[in-house]
Amino acid sequence: LAEEDIGLSVCDGIVTLQGSVSSPAVRCQAEAIVWAVGGVRDVENRLRVQRQPTSNGGVATTNRTDV
């Protein structure tokens, strides 16, 4: 998670996560870590998933030779 852009704020045991992460799995991992902290009553997960663009502009390609 060290490479992710995650900020948080806490008010009365409610933790708000903000920023962007590289995958849905990282988003869930960040929330799970917060829930493991004592005193947390609720988590507002406002993290956005920003996938890395592919080298071809996001278009999926295949190299099939049997077509």
Side-chain angles (χ1 to χ4, degrees), residues 10 12-15 31 33-44:
V10 181
D12 294 325
I14 300 171
V15 179
E31 183 172 341
I33 290 170
V34 172
W35 276 114
V37 176
V40 173
R41 296 182 335 167
D42 196 12
V43 178
E44 292 185 21

Side-chain angles (χ1 to χ4, degrees), residues 38-67:
V40 173
R41 296 182 335 167
D42 196 12
V43 178
E44 292 185 21
N45 191 339
R46 298 180 184 171
L47 294 173
R48 296 178 317 275
V49 176
Q50 292 190 339
R51 300 180 194 273
Q52 299 298 323
T54 60
S55 61
N56 63 358
V59 177
T61 60
T62 182
N63 291 328
R64 293 182 58 187
T65 58
D66 62 340
V67 179

